[in-house]
């Protein structure tokens, strides 16, 4: 378990994408306001604030847990930094500072070198994995809704300004990066798990997530054009199903009851957009059911649009968008099959449970408990 120079460069790229995404979201929200599109401006700002607030809550909770585990008292400066929305930047500062030391400047002549080196690399990997988890939360709480909003505006007006195109592209990059980065970081943080080595597995996993997400987002946008209330009801229903599933699985991700309740709410939001394993178990059947429902839902939305009059929607866009939805869904399912059939690190370990999509920093107590049925 070693934090390499390549890992450090990925962390630097991660914070660049994070800052760019944040700046573009603010830029788009301000531009909507100046153009008189107050509803879109408020929605864009609300998505950003909601995702950020939830992430700050989890970040501060983990800081407190780590300090308590180390026998230290909680520092008020960390609370202040998180109240000022600086939790992610604080974590990046510590991760990059220690990561640079581990990857570039660690002195091999240090006393007890091997033991200290292992502790340093483990500490950095844990910090980076925490960041990956927080970025994953933000992606599905803020990035995905933002992308749906941008696609809706783009298709409604038929044209968009540079800021909207930039927001769409940055959101796609942020979603793709955070999803793959978390999968890599999670496996690297668990010594008993095989690493996701090589470019092909990562690219395949990226395409699987990206294409299934894009297909579903475009489908949701079409349903929004048909009827906003129906679309919101469907999303609310899917969120409730995700929350109920998290309660049924009795997730124990957090040490406090309130944070665990918040975590299950977040799980519901994530499951609206994509499938993640929330507890140690074989996910073949749940994942199959999830994507069967996804395919049926997508086809249902397309059928409704073919049957209903298209006066509310520019028909010149409908046919290419329908083709895009079907193709991206088929490609996403295809890459899913290829990844789990060929590239998944645990494909030969049929008796073992899949990895858990959860925070590994306290794996000595919690991760082992997650794997229990």
């Amino acid at each position: 378990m070693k934090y390499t120079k390549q890992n450090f460069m990925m962390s630097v790229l991660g914070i660049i994408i994070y800052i760019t995404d944040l700046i573009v979201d603010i830029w788009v929200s301000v531009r909507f306001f100046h153009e008189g599109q107050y509803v879109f401006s408020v929605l864009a700002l609300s998505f950003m604030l909601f995702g950020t607030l939830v992430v700050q809550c989890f970040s501060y909770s983990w800081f407190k847990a780590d300090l308590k585990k180390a026998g230290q008292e909680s520092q008020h400066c960390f609370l202040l930094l998180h109240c000022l929305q600086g939790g992610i930047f604080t974590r990046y500062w510590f991760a990059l500072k220690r990561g640079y030391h581990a990857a570039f400047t660690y002195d091999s002549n240090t006393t007890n070198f091997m033991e200290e080196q292992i502790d340093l690399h483990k500490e950095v990997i844990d910090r980076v994995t925490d960041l990956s988890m927080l970025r994953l939360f933000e992606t599905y709480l803020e990035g995905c809704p933002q992308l749906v909003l941008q696609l809706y505006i783009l298709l409604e007006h038929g044209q968009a300004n540079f800021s909207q195109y930039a927001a769409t592209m940055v959101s796609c990059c942020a979603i793709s990066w955070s999803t793959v980065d978390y999968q890599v970081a999670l496996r690297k943080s668990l010594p008993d798990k095989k690493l996701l080595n090589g470019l092909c597995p990562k690219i395949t996993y990226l395409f699987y997530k990206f294409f299934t997400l894009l297909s579903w987002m475009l489908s949701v946008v079409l349903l929004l054009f048909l009827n906003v209330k129906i679309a919101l009801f469907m999303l609310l229903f899917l969120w409730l199903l995700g929350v109920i599933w998290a309660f049924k699985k009795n997730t124990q991700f957090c040490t406090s009851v309130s944070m665990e309740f918040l975590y299950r709410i977040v799980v519901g939001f994530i499951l609206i957009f994509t499938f993640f394993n929330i507890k140690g178990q074989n996910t073949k059947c749940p994942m199959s059911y999830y994507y069967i429902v996804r395919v049926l839902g997508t086809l249902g939305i397309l059928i409704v649009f073919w049957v209903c009059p298209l006066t509310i929607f520019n028909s010149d866009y409908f046919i290419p968008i329908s083709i895009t939805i079907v193709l991206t869904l088929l490609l996403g399912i295809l890459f899913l099959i290829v990844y789990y059939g060929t590239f998944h690190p645990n494909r030969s370990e049929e008796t073992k449970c899949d990895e858990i999509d959860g925070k590994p920093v306290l794996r000595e107590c919690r991760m082992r408990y997650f794997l229990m049925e």
Side-chain angles (χ1 to χ4, degrees):
M1 187 168 63
K2 185 178 180 182
Y3 186 79
T4 64
K5 295 178 181 179
Q6 181 183 2
N7 298 139
F8 178 81
M9 297 309 297
M10 290 180 66
S11 298
V12 172
L13 182 59
I15 191 173
I16 292 174
I17 293 176
Y18 174 75
I19 294 174
T20 304
D21 188 31
L22 185 64
I23 292 173
V24 170
D25 286 342
I26 296 174
W27 178 27
V28 169
S29 180
V30 172
R31 192 178 183 93
F32 282 149
F33 184 82
H34 282 299
E35 293 176 353
Q37 297 177 326
Y38 301 117
V39 174
F40 292 149
S41 177
V42 170
L43 283 174
L45 190 61
S46 299
F47 291 147
M48 182 178 64
L49 289 177
F50 176 66
T52 303
L53 287 173
V54 171
V55 166
Q56 300 301 323
C57 288
F58 277 108
S59 178
Y60 180 65
S61 174
W62 296 351
F63 262 126
K64 286 180 62 178
D66 292 343
L67 290 173
K68 184 177 180 180
K69 182 182 176 182
Q72 303 176 17
E73 294 184 0
S74 180
Q75 299 182 19
H76 296 295
C77 62
F78 285 137
L79 177 59
L80 177 61
L81 284 169
H82 284 81
C83 289
L84 296 175
Q85 307 301 304
I88 294 292
F89 293 107
T90 303
R91 286 184 172 274
Y92 265 117
W93 164 254
F94 284 122
L96 292 177
K97 181 180 178 181
R98 299 291 286 170
Y100 181 84
H101 185 55
F104 291 95
T105 65
Y106 204 87
D107 185 6
S108 60
N109 295 321
T110 305
T111 307
N112 299 324
F113 166 70
M114 289 302 296
E115 183 178 349
E116 291 184 12
Q117 184 185 49
I118 291 173
D119 289 341
L120 176 61
H121 284 273
K122 176 181 176 297
E123 176 194 344
V124 174
I125 290 172
D126 284 343
R127 290 183 183 276
V128 171
T129 307
D130 281 350
L131 273 169
S132 298
M133 190 66 186
L134 293 171
R135 288 300 316 277
L136 192 75
F137 282 168
E138 187 193 33
T139 291
Y140 291 99
L141 292 174
E142 184 263 329
C144 289
Q146 285 277 20
L147 186 54
V148 170
L149 177 64
Q150 297 302 329
L151 291 173
Y152 177 86
I153 296 170
L154 179 63
L155 295 177
E156 182 186 40
H157 296 286
Q159 59 182 1
N161 52 49
F162 176 75
S163 63
Q164 291 172 251
Y165 284 119
T168 302
M169 293 301 298
V170 171
S171 293
C172 288
C173 291
I175 292 169
S176 303
W177 175 263
S178 63
T179 303
V180 176
D181 179 61
Y182 174 69
Q183 179 72 1
V184 173
L186 177 64
R187 289 194 161 274
K188 193 175 184 66
S189 68
L190 297 174
D192 59 325
K193 294 293 183 182
K194 294 183 178 179
L195 298 178
L196 192 66
N197 291 320
L199 184 62
C200 285
K202 296 172 185 175
I203 294 296
T204 305
Y205 184 81
L206 169 65
F207 284 159
Y208 143 54
K209 287 291 186 181
F210 178 75
F211 284 131
T212 52
L213 270 171
L214 181 59
S215 173
W216 182 239
M217 288 181 182
L218 287 173
S219 300
V220 171
V221 169
L222 289 185
L223 193 57
L224 285 170
F225 276 108
L226 181 64
N227 191 300
V228 174
K229 292 182 179 179
I230 293 176
L232 293 178
F233 176 80
M234 181 196 70
L235 294 176
L236 178 62
F237 177 71
L238 293 175
W239 172 72
L240 285 174
L241 287 180
V243 173
I244 291 171
W245 190 48
F247 274 95
K248 184 178 182 299
K249 291 299 179 182
N250 193 29
T251 61
Q252 297 188 14
F253 177 75
C254 303
T255 55
S256 68
V257 176
S258 58
M259 290 304 298
E260 184 64 30
F261 186 79
L262 178 61
Y263 171 68
R264 293 173 183 179
I265 291 175
V266 172
V267 166
F269 276 104
I270 292 176
L271 293 176
I272 291 175
F273 297 102
T274 191
F275 181 86
F276 273 102
N277 185 13
I278 62 173
K279 194 165 185 180
Q281 61 177 14
N282 189 298
T283 55
K284 183 177 180 180
C285 289
M287 181 182 289
S288 299
Y289 296 147
Y290 180 90
Y291 282 107
I292 287 173
V293 172
R294 171 67 60 85
V295 171
L296 293 176
T298 301
L299 292 178
I301 292 173
L302 291 176
I303 290 172
V304 168
F305 253 86
W306 278 107
V307 173
C308 293
L310 300 178
T311 54
I312 58 173
F313 192 75
N314 190 340
S315 59
D316 293 337
Y317 290 101
F318 178 62
I319 294 177
I321 289 175
S322 299
I323 294 173
T324 301
I325 289 174
V326 173
L327 286 179
T328 51
L329 180 59
L330 290 175
L331 285 172
I333 299 298
L334 177 63
F335 279 110
L336 182 154
I337 295 171
V338 171
Y339 173 75
Y340 283 99
T342 306
F343 295 122
H344 194 279
N346 291 349
R347 65 187 183 278
S348 61
E349 302 176 15
E350 298 179 356
T351 59
K352 290 189 178 182
C353 297
D354 293 340
E355 74 276 10
I356 301 161
D357 299 309
K359 179 173 178 269
V361 66
L362 298 177
R363 58 187 177 275
E364 291 83 358
C365 58
R366 278 198 273 185
M367 193 58 75
R368 187 182 299 112
Y369 183 73
F370 283 165
L371 292 172
M372 292 174 59
E373 288 296 331

